[in-house]
Amino acid sequence: MKYSEFLLIAKSINVQFNVLPLLFGSLGLERRLNMDLHADDIDILLPEYYLRDGWQALKKLMEELGYELYDLHEHAFQKGEFSAAFASLENLTPFAGVDISQIPKMTDAGASYLLLDLLDYQRVYEA
């Protein structure tokens, strides 16, 4: 259910901004492992630009999808049972040594997105 909601968000980001979001956190790891980890929320990484200069456009897109901003500092939105939060893609490199240019691209239900491989997930969780 959360993954389907992520696909809706990702497809909107693809169309509106021509950007590939990265499915992060437990939900991303669920997809990589193909097992249910009971992810609490939808964590999405985007280029830093969308958290600064493009913030109003991202906020508007999320509102159009029925989300309401509930935590500006965390860039977190809520829609019913779904919580989606955004962070900077570029922070992966200094934080965990992930080469963002090598993150695999995935496509599902008309949405394109990035998904860390297991080695990069290990780097993130160890960091």
Side-chain angles (χ1 to χ4, degrees):
M1 189 85 149
K2 285 183 182 77
Y3 177 66
S4 295
E5 187 66 18
F6 165 74
L7 290 175
L8 175 70
I9 295 168
K11 188 173 184 179
S12 297
I13 289 170
N14 295 158
V15 170
Q16 195 99 8
F17 305 132
N18 195 28
V19 167
L20 295 176
L22 185 141
L23 177 57
F24 197 59
S26 301
L27 187 58
L29 189 55
E30 278 186 12
R31 296 304 302 171
R32 184 52 73 197
L33 294 173
N34 198 26
M35 63 188 301
D36 187 2
L37 300 175
H38 307 290
D40 291 330
D41 56 6
I42 303 167
D43 295 311
I44 302 169
L45 302 188
L46 287 175
E48 178 73 27
Y49 170 84
Y50 294 97
L51 304 178
R52 287 190 332 251
D53 302 335
W55 172 246
Q56 289 305 319
L58 177 60
K59 183 174 176 277
K60 182 176 185 260
L61 179 141
M62 291 300 287
E63 289 169 349
E64 289 170 355
L65 292 174
Y67 282 84
E68 192 173 303
L69 180 68
Y70 75 88
D71 187 334
L72 178 60
H73 179 71
E74 296 292 324
H75 305 100
F77 294 83
Q78 188 79 34
K79 176 174 84 172
E81 66 186 88
F82 299 115
S83 175
F86 295 89
S88 169
L89 179 64
E90 290 87 348
N91 285 344
L92 271 180
T93 302
F95 175 69
V98 173
D99 181 351
I100 60 176
S101 71
Q102 298 300 311
I103 299 171
K105 177 183 172 183
M106 313 296 282
T107 303
D108 191 0
S112 296
Y113 63 97
L114 302 174
L115 184 63
L116 297 177
D117 61 26
L118 288 176
L119 183 57
D120 283 338
Y121 263 108
Q122 182 180 357
R123 288 183 179 115
V124 167
Y125 284 111
E126 287 176 351

